[in-house]
């Protein structure tokens, strides 16, 4: 099963403790005008930025995640454009003021496509425009997620999430047990692969075309060797 096809239904619930408001209040002062949310998922950031007055487009490769996002925007009466696309192929018909990608989107991009993605983004942002993105850090993928197992049990859904650390990525297998009728459950499996992009690797790609600062993406302060999320705030040169 493709990544985020089943997870889309439960994503917002499982992300309940993610601080989207904190994230937006940290980045919003750097973002104005027209923007794109890459790997926008269920649109939590896209919708918040649209509510804050930005003109937004959300891009994601998962139809199911986009359906959740579209419905959320509809219920809030927001006019947001949604595009189902691999973000490494992003090509807009005009340059925008900013792009964001929050909560691991870039970890889904294979190592050998990362430079192409950042070049595409640069081509589609105005000079002086802003790119904000994060990655789950090498520390987190190797020491927190890698070779680990997570599970949660709700009335309607139980999942078991098993990770295998490989040389440059973590392969994730999620088994969902969805309650159907009574005590009957349907088992569906979904797989994900998140790539380890080290800070040095990302900086080596950014340095030519971007000025940038790096933050701990959970504390919004100076990153440390044990930061689980690295947040890059970049200005296009
Ligand atoms: C962890 S979710 C993050 C969603 C959202 N940004 C958030 O903050 O909740 C990662 C998202 O990346 C999307 N994704 C993965 N690879 C992608 C790609 N190559 N192009 C576009 N979206 C991608 C997935 O479909 C998923 O919605």
């Amino acid at each position: 099963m493709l990544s985020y096809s089943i997870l889309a239904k439960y994503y917002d619930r499982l992300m309940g403790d993610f601080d989207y408001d904190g994230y937006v209040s940290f980045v919003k002062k750097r973002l104005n005008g027209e923007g794109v949310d890459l790997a926008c998922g269920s649109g939590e950031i896209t919708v918040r930025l649209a509510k804050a007055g930005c003109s937004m487009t959300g891009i994601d490769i998962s139809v199911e995640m986009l359906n959740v996002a579209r419905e959320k925007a509809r219920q809030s009466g927001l006019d947001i454009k949604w595009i189902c696309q691999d973000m490494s192929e992003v090509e807009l018909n005009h340059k925008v003021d900013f792009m964001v990608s929050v909560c691991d989107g870039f970890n889904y991009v294979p190592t050998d496509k990362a430079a192409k993605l950042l070049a595409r983004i640069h081509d589609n942002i105005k000079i002086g425009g802003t790119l904000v993105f994060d990655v789950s850090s090498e520390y987190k993928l190797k020491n927190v997620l890698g070779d680990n197992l997570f599970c949660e049990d709700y009335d309607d859904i139980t999942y078991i999430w098993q990770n295998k650390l490989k040389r440059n990525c973590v392969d994730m297998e999620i088994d969902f047990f969805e309650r159907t009728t009574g005590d009957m459950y349907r088992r569906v499996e979904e797989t994900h692969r998140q790539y380890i992009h080290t800070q040095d690797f990302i900086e080596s790609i950014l340095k030519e075309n971007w000025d940038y600062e790096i933050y701990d993406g959970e504390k919004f302060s100076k990153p440390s060797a044990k930061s689980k999320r690295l947040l890059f705030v970049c200005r296009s040169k």
Side-chain angles (χ1 to χ4, degrees), residues 3-5 7 11-12 15 18 20 23 37-46 59-63 65-66 83-89 100-110 113 117 134 161 192-194 229:
S3 307
Y4 291 96
S5 39
L7 183 53
Y11 183 78
D12 283 345
M15 290 293 284
F18 190 85
Y20 287 107
Y23 218 105
D37 184 2
L38 296 165
C40 63
S42 66
E44 285 293 309
I45 292 285
T46 341
I59 294 180
D60 201 280
I61 205 166
S62 158
V63 179
M65 291 293 266
L66 283 175
I83 302 175
C84 190
Q85 186 183 36
D86 180 343
M87 62 181 159
S88 335
E89 306 296 334
V100 293
S101 187
V102 170
C103 192
D104 306 346
F106 275 37
N107 292 103
Y108 285 87
V109 176
K113 283 195 176 174
L117 168 64
D134 68 32
W161 184 310
H192 294 218
R193 171 170 286 175
Q194 289 201 3
R229 185 172 300 285

Side-chain angles (χ1 to χ4, degrees), residues 130-158:
T130 306
L131 166 66
V132 174
F133 70 96
D134 68 32
V135 288
S136 270
S137 65
E138 178 182 19
Y139 171 79
K140 178 180 174 186
L141 285 165
K142 286 188 172 166
N143 300 289
V144 181
L145 298 183
D147 288 333
N148 212 342
L149 181 145
F150 304 86
C151 51
E152 273 189 281
D153 184 24
Y154 296 93
D155 271 356
D156 55 339
I157 182 82
T158 298

Side-chain angles (χ1 to χ4, degrees), residues 61-97:
I61 205 166
S62 158
V63 179
E64 292 84 356
M65 291 293 266
L66 283 175
N67 285 342
V68 176
R70 189 177 291 110
E71 178 56 17
K72 210 175 273 174
R74 193 191 64 75
Q75 284 182 10
S76 299
L78 293 165
D79 183 18
I80 297 174
K81 189 171 170 195
W82 304 103
I83 302 175
C84 190
Q85 186 183 36
D86 180 343
M87 62 181 159
S88 335
E89 306 296 334
V90 62
E91 182 147 21
L92 307 170
N93 55 14
H94 62 284
K95 292 178 191 273
V96 293
D97 299 298

Side-chain angles (χ1 to χ4, degrees), residues 32-36 38 55-57 59 81 83 85 90-99 120-127:
N32 274 305
E34 185 179 2
V36 175
L38 296 165
S55 166
M56 293 302 299
T57 296
I59 294 180
K81 189 171 170 195
I83 302 175
Q85 186 183 36
V90 62
E91 182 147 21
L92 307 170
N93 55 14
H94 62 284
K95 292 178 191 273
V96 293
D97 299 298
F98 69 89
M99 293 198 188
R120 284 266 181 175
I121 291 173
H122 189 264
D123 287 348
N124 286 281
I125 287 190
K126 294 175 186 166
I127 300 296

